[in-house]
Amino acid sequence: MSRSLRVRTFFVTGVIAAALAAPSAASAGVLVADAADCESQAFSQPFLPWADPASYTLQPGGDFEAGSTKWGGGTVVSENEPWSVGAASDNGSLHLSAGNASVSPSICVGIEHPDIRFFAKGSSPAARLRVDVLFEDAAGNVQSAPIGAIAGTGDWALTPPFAIIANLLPLLPGSHTAVAFKLTAVSGCWRVDDFYVDPYTRW
């Protein structure tokens, strides 16, 4: 593990640990209330052509097809990532202008070491996209921690897997919890498509 990745991991873990430090009695909040049943998730291997055999589930609304309103912020536009991993008929993606952010619905994940992966297109090499995980502390308050950042290339590209780094309270049955994700266009314009979650690091 590189020094920069170790520093980021320790920082994010520290943020999460501090948020969960008190109180001892857990209370479910809005993320838990809105998360769909863990058992209803369907799995596929959308990134197998990129030598990633992990089984992922599509984040609710994560295909950004026309009429999708599940993500808050951003605009659904008519441009799909070129590999059409969801379906050949897909033709939508999420557009974020510089300074704008979009927040996903909540999703049920295991507390082991889940991760996310998606396609993104930045308007230029100077464009930056930040990824945050939203989670609940012991009192049910929503907290946020950064888990990754992407530089633009001007073309569509598959992101690396971003570990959620969320050793969170098991607020749902079966050592599961609820998280959401926030995408922020720090600079430049962005398109995002086919946002998938590996909720239990299934292989």
Side-chain angles (χ1 to χ4, degrees), residues 8-19:
R8 190 182 74 184
T9 300
F10 294 154
F11 170 75
V12 174
T13 303
V15 170
I16 293 173

Side-chain angles (χ1 to χ4, degrees), residues 18 34 36 48-49 52 100-101 119 177 203:
D34 290 344
L48 197 56
D52 180 355
N100 288 350
F119 294 95
T177 195
W203 292 85

Side-chain angles (χ1 to χ4, degrees), residues 55-56 107-117 133 147 161-168 175-177 179 181 196-203:
S55 294
Y56 291 82
I107 187 171
C108 173
V109 301
I111 63 170
E112 298 88 3
H113 294 287
D115 57 36
I116 61 172
R117 206 167 190 190
V133 61
I147 59 173
F162 291 123
I164 297 174
I165 315 176
N167 296 319
L168 306 176
S175 295
H176 298 141
T177 195
V179 298
F181 304 98
Y196 281 85
V197 181
D198 178 6
Y200 316 115
T201 57
R202 294 174 176 231
W203 292 85

Side-chain angles (χ1 to χ4, degrees), residues 49-140:
W50 292 267
D52 180 355
S55 294
Y56 291 82
T57 189
L58 183 69
Q59 172 74 28
D63 55 3
F64 304 109
E65 289 307 293
S68 174
T69 58
K70 293 183 179 181
W71 287 59
T75 305
V76 174
V77 296
S78 297
E79 180 184 356
N80 202 74
E81 49 84 5
W83 299 279
S84 299
V85 300
S89 59
D90 286 355
N91 61 6
S93 60
L94 177 71
H95 172 76
L96 290 172
S97 299
N100 288 350
S102 181
V103 178
S104 78
S106 58
I107 187 171
C108 173
V109 301
I111 63 170
E112 298 88 3
H113 294 287
D115 57 36
I116 61 172
R117 206 167 190 190
F118 56 94
F119 294 95
K121 177 183 177 181
S123 55
S124 74
R128 297 290 183 273
L129 182 73
R130 190 179 76 227
V131 185
D132 294 271
V133 61
L134 307 182
F135 60 96
E136 291 180 10
D137 63 19

